[in-house]
Amino acid sequence: MSSPSFPYFLINPAHEVIVRGESTPSQVMRGHNRRWQKFLFGSSVLAVLVIGVLFALESMGSLQVRGLTTYATVTRHAIEDQSAYDTVPRLYYLEYRYEVEGVVYVAQQNVNTGQYSALRDGHRVQIAYLPEDPTVSQIVSGRSPTLLWMACATGIGIGLVVLFTLYQFTQQRRYRQGKVIQGEILRAEQKMDTQRKLYVQLQYVFMSPEGLRIERSHILNGEKWTHKAPPQPGTPVFIQYASEREFQLL
C-alpha cells in the first residue's frame, strides 16, 4: 500500500513504520518476538527463583527434612463432626503408636479422607519425629516436596512455552500471510467500568479483500487514552488482515 498523506489513528505507535511503508509487518513481528522471548526467559527465571525460595522455606520448616524417620502402627480412627454446629467440614484423625530408644509414644494427626480410608488399624506407616523431642511427629507423605516443586516448575515452563508457541503461530499467519488494509472509525466513546475506571470503546469498520464488510470494537485502556479526546468518526485506521477470523487493528 502507498504511504498515506492524511491524518490517521494508530493504537500502537510502533506500527507507524508499517503504515508508512518503512518496514514490513514481518520485520516488526521479529521485534515483537524478541520482546516476547525476553519476557518468556525472564518469567521462566523468575518462576524458578520463586519456586526455589518456596522450596527452601518449606524445607526449613518441614519435619520430614529436619526430623528422623521410623515406623509406627495405626491404633485408632476418629472423626470429629462439627457440621451440626457450623459450616466446618468433618475432620479425620489417625492415632498411631511408635517407639524411640525404648520409649513408646502415642500421637494423633489430622489426615485427608484418602489416608483415613487407606490406613486401617494395625497398618504400619512411616513417620518423622524430632530427635530432641520425639513427642513431635507426623505421618510422612509418599510424595517428596522436591518432586512437587519440580512438577510445578515443569508445568509453569511448559505453559509458558505453549502460550508463546500459540502466539507465534497466530502472529506468523497474520503478519506473513496477511496484508494491511484501511478502515475507518465509526464511533469512539469514553466509558466507565464497574470499578469506576475510564476506558475508550472504539468501533471501526473495514472491507475485507473478499468484499465482506467487517465491523468490530476495540477497548483502549490506560491514562494516555482517557486524558485526551477520542478520535473522531471517519478517522482512518489500518488493519493487518489475514482472514475473516484473524486480523489486528494497528
Side-chain angles (χ1 to χ4, degrees):
M1 60 173 291
S2 58
S3 299
S5 58
F6 44 79
Y8 48 85
F9 177 78
L10 295 175
I11 63 171
N12 188 347
H15 293 154
E16 179 85 21
V17 291
I18 298 178
V19 174
R20 292 187 175 276
E22 299 171 359
S23 182
T24 65
S26 296
Q27 291 172 332
V28 175
M29 174 191 165
R30 284 194 291 270
H32 290 331
N33 286 347
R34 283 193 290 269
R35 285 191 288 273
W36 267 93
Q37 289 166 357
K38 292 179 181 178
F39 170 77
L40 179 63
F41 177 77
S43 299
S44 301
V45 171
L46 180 61
V48 171
L49 290 176
V50 170
I51 289 173
V53 170
L54 290 175
F55 173 65
L57 291 175
E58 182 189 60
S59 298
M60 291 172 59
S62 173
L63 186 59
Q64 183 176 348
V65 174
R66 296 187 296 122
L68 300 178
T69 58
T70 187
Y71 283 91
T73 301
V74 177
T75 56
R76 190 170 69 91
H77 290 60
I79 299 177
E80 183 179 342
D81 190 356
Q82 302 180 6
S83 58
Y85 305 100
D86 49 37
T87 58
V88 177
R90 287 182 172 184
L91 299 178
Y92 298 86
Y93 293 93
L94 288 179
E95 185 179 280
Y96 54 90
R97 183 178 65 250
Y98 58 100
E99 183 177 330
V100 177
E101 297 180 352
V103 180
V104 176
Y105 299 90
V106 177
Q108 182 175 268
Q109 180 177 325
N110 175 228
V111 296
N112 57 44
T113 55
Q115 290 175 306
Y116 186 86
S117 301
L119 298 175
R120 302 293 183 181
D121 289 354
H123 278 189
R124 287 175 61 80
V125 294
Q126 190 177 37
I127 66 165
Y129 66 91
L130 287 179
E132 62 271 21
D133 185 3
T135 61
V136 179
S137 65
Q138 69 177 27
I139 297 174
V140 175
S141 171
R143 294 171 297 179
S144 169
T146 305
L147 293 178
L148 289 176
W149 287 121
M150 288 178 62
C152 290
T154 302
I156 292 173
I158 292 175
L160 290 173
V161 170
V162 169
L163 287 175
F164 182 69
T165 301
L166 290 175
Y167 172 80
Q168 287 275 71
F169 176 79
T170 303
Q171 291 295 80
Q172 285 178 1
R173 177 178 174 83
R174 185 178 297 150
Y175 280 109
R176 294 183 180 177
Q177 300 180 13
K179 61 173 65 176
V180 178
I181 57 179
Q182 183 176 323
E184 68 175 33
I185 293 176
L186 292 178
R187 65 184 65 88
E189 300 175 308
Q190 193 174 87
K191 297 184 177 182
M192 183 177 293
D193 62 17
T194 56
Q195 298 180 346
R196 304 187 63 81
K197 292 182 179 180
L198 293 174
Y199 67 93
V200 174
Q201 184 173 19
L202 190 72
Q203 194 147 0
Y204 63 97
V205 64
F206 64 94
M207 295 295 294
S208 72
E210 296 81 16
L212 180 66
R213 185 179 188 273
I214 298 177
E215 184 176 324
R216 290 291 186 273
S217 62
H218 188 90
I219 301 299
L220 303 175
N221 292 305
E223 294 184 355
K224 70 174 183 177
W225 301 114
T226 57
H227 285 178
K228 62 182 179 181
Q232 295 297 312
T235 301
V237 293
F238 293 91
I239 297 93
Q240 179 67 33
Y241 181 90
S243 70
E244 295 176 8
R245 294 180 178 273
E246 295 182 25
F247 56 86
Q248 177 180 340
L249 184 64
L250 297 178

